[in-house]
Amino acid sequence: MKLPTLNTQILLGALFGIIIGLALLAMGKTAPITQSSLYVANLLGTLFIDLLKMVLVPLVFRSIVVGVANLQAYQQIHRVWISTLGFFAFSMAIAIVLGLVAAHIFKAGQGLHLDMFQQAMSNFEAKQQSVAEFFAQFLHGLFMNPVAALAQGNVLAVVVFALFLGIALVIGGERYRNILTLLQELLEIVMQMVRWIMVITPFGIMALLVKLIVSQELALLSSLSKFVAVVMGTLLVHGVIVLPLILYVMTGMQPLTFWRGAREALVTAFATSSSSATLPITLRCVEHNLHVRKEIAQFVAPLGATINMDGTALYEAAAALFVANLVGIELNLVQQLIVFFTAMISAIGAPGIPSAGMVTMVMVLQSVGLPAEAIAILLPVDRLIDTLRTAVNVEGDMVGSLVVQKLVKK
Ligand code: ASP
């Protein structure tokens, strides 16, 4: 019997995960069958994420070094840098504006009162952090002893060290040819491991989605349902209309062709809520399915996974306005401009791990004098929103790789 393609298997895995999760939820969280299924789902889901994390750091390190070295060799590095950072800033800016506009139109916090959430807020101690502190910390985190960064899985610091090494290898030229060849071969080996991991991806995704659905708090969800719906809807507008439109205008690629090539990564991002953990699969999609040249994919995708987060930026802006509505404060234009910039900075600074955007959002709230404790209100729905915002984050990285390839060719 012929097995369905991996793409179909992944979609089926996601579908079954949602169906099983809903069925278990209907049977009740304390039912023995729910408990034992949750145990198995937890085991399998964690195993899947662990496998992805196992290859992540070696993959990021090698792909950036090799990517930079190859780009530099073609003397295209400046163009790639500028187009990449330009595209990231451009798409995140659009996402934030969308988030702000949607929050204005739908006014999701109105009708709710802050006192409804008093208990959650008083139990929650937000770590206060100003923009200046955040910036200093971010800058400090960029440069690290590479061995420590590799060992701790600090992706951003690994990226930075790999950039340096890639450039040094090229400047050294022929002298370091062997090191470059070695790294290239190591990269191919790691990609081989990713191919093995892909085999269990449908099951991993199914398990993660079962776990996600069973652990939702329905009572809290219903009081915040309007906010969740507005954010999810706006994320969908950005992911289904805006990004594909930018892609079409810039490269002429049809949205359907893009979806077909990108969906393995999109579904994985949705289920794992981590751009970093998804990166091995993102790279595979970008190189193999969407046919982006290796050196561009290997540079843009890992960088994007750590700094380009359209979904997170959109969410942070919308959530700030939501909290303002709850508190009963009308933010003026200047304050909204501050939200725009801090949302962008905190999305860039958020690592590609689950709920990271939630943590960096404290800074956005504080920048306009909103109570940081208010994120306690959003915490229960964060995991749910994180699914779609991570998928949009990863989609932005893939669209970015295609756009940069086109811009560089010109
Ligand atoms: N989970 C997101 C990501 O990995 C970051 C966030 O929390 O917004 O891309």
Side-chain angles (χ1 to χ4, degrees):
M1 193 185 71
K2 208 167 152 268
L3 279 176
T5 61
L6 187 64
N7 245 323
T8 317
Q9 288 178 33
I10 287 179
L11 287 182
L12 285 176
L15 197 67
F16 281 130
I18 293 173
I19 294 172
I20 296 173
L22 289 174
L24 290 174
L25 204 58
M27 279 187 254
K29 284 189 187 183
T30 46
I33 177 148
T34 310
Q35 290 292 327
S36 37
S37 312
L38 203 57
Y39 175 76
V40 177
N42 209 354
L43 219 62
L44 202 63
T46 312
L47 181 79
F48 173 56
I49 294 200
D50 285 344
L51 281 169
L52 286 174
K53 282 197 191 150
M54 178 180 84
V55 289
L56 173 68
V57 169
L59 186 70
V60 173
F61 177 64
R62 278 166 200 129
S63 87
I64 294 241
V65 176
V66 173
V68 168
N70 287 338
L71 280 175
Q72 188 90 339
Y74 294 121
Q75 303 191 322
Q76 287 176 322
I77 190 92
H78 294 303
R79 280 191 92 131
V80 174
W81 262 118
I82 294 168
S83 335
T84 305
L85 296 182
F87 176 81
F88 287 173
F90 170 69
S91 65
M92 277 195 277
I94 295 185
I96 296 174
V97 171
L98 263 181
L100 290 175
V101 170
H104 268 297
I105 297 177
F106 296 103
K107 305 216 180 305
Q110 271 178 3
L112 297 173
H113 297 290
L114 203 58
D115 3 318
M116 290 163 65
F117 305 100
Q118 215 57 44
Q119 205 199 342
M121 282 174 60
S122 58
N123 290 340
F124 185 84
E125 220 181 290
K127 212 170 139 269
Q128 311 279 325
Q129 200 174 40
S130 66
V131 181
E133 278 165 359
F134 179 81
F135 184 68
Q137 205 182 43
F138 178 71
L139 207 65
H140 180 61
L142 285 181
F143 308 101
M144 240 177 117
N145 161 4
V147 182
L150 288 166
Q152 291 166 12
N154 183 333
V155 182
L156 193 58
V158 171
V159 167
V160 172
F161 182 73
L163 286 174
F164 273 88
L165 191 63
I167 296 172
L169 278 181
V170 178
I171 292 176
E174 267 315 297
R175 230 171 113 198
Y176 303 134
R177 188 83 240 151
N178 292 344
I179 299 185
L180 187 58
T181 314
L182 178 74
L183 286 171
Q184 235 148 8
E185 283 175 3
L186 282 172
L187 183 62
E188 280 158 29
I189 294 187
V190 182
M191 286 311 274
Q192 172 60 52
M193 295 185 203
V194 174
R195 246 168 269 145
W196 294 334
I197 298 175
M198 292 303 290
V199 177
I200 72 146
T201 298
F203 298 101
I205 284 172
M206 182 167 85
L208 287 170
L209 289 177
V210 168
K211 200 175 123 193
L212 174 77
I213 291 178
V214 175
S215 54
Q216 287 308 314
E217 292 293 339
L218 293 180
L220 274 163
L221 206 63
S222 70
S223 65
L224 291 174
S225 56
K226 186 170 174 197
F227 172 68
V228 175
V230 170
V231 173
M232 295 291 231
T234 319
L235 283 170
L236 279 176
V237 168
H238 190 70
V240 179
I241 300 174
V242 177
L243 282 175
L245 191 69
I246 297 176
L247 181 68
Y248 181 71
V249 171
M250 306 282 276
T251 70
M253 183 181 265
Q254 295 290 341
L256 268 182
T257 318
F258 173 73
W259 295 123
R260 230 173 276 137
R263 68 185 162 197
E264 289 167 9
L266 294 178
V267 177
T268 310
F270 186 90
T272 59
S273 286
S274 166
S275 319
S276 293
T278 310
L279 183 61
I281 299 175
T282 314
L283 261 175
R284 221 181 88 100
C285 287
V286 174
E287 277 182 29
H288 294 274
N289 305 352
L290 300 169
H291 310 291
V292 175
R293 269 164 44 208
K294 263 198 166 96
E295 58 277 16
I296 291 188
Q298 287 168 3
F299 175 78
V300 182
L303 197 64
T306 44
I307 65 170
N308 180 39
M309 299 202 177
D310 292 13
T312 305
L314 185 157
Y315 170 68
E316 303 212 353
L321 257 59
F322 169 73
V323 172
N325 266 339
L326 267 183
V327 187
I329 297 178
E330 183 91 31
L331 295 182
N332 62 28
L333 204 63
V334 176
Q335 284 170 314
Q336 287 183 40
L337 216 59
I338 297 177
V339 168
F340 176 93
F341 284 111
T342 45
M344 173 128 21
I345 296 172
S346 53
I348 292 173
I353 55 174
S355 290
M358 190 78 221
V359 179
T360 57
M361 202 169 73
V362 173
M363 185 179 78
V364 182
L365 296 180
Q366 280 187 334
S367 67
V368 283
L370 295 168
E373 290 72 24
I375 66 169
I377 302 166
L378 303 172
L379 220 49
V381 291
D382 188 63
R383 208 29 207 89
L384 189 67
I385 297 178
D386 206 3
T387 52
L388 206 55
R389 74 174 189 247
T390 309
V392 171
N393 288 347
V394 169
E395 182 185 356
D397 302 337
M398 292 192 275
V399 170
S401 308
L402 286 157
V403 169
V404 169
Q405 158 153 286
K406 185 75 182 182
L407 290 175
V408 171
K409 239 192 226 148
K410 277 189 185 158

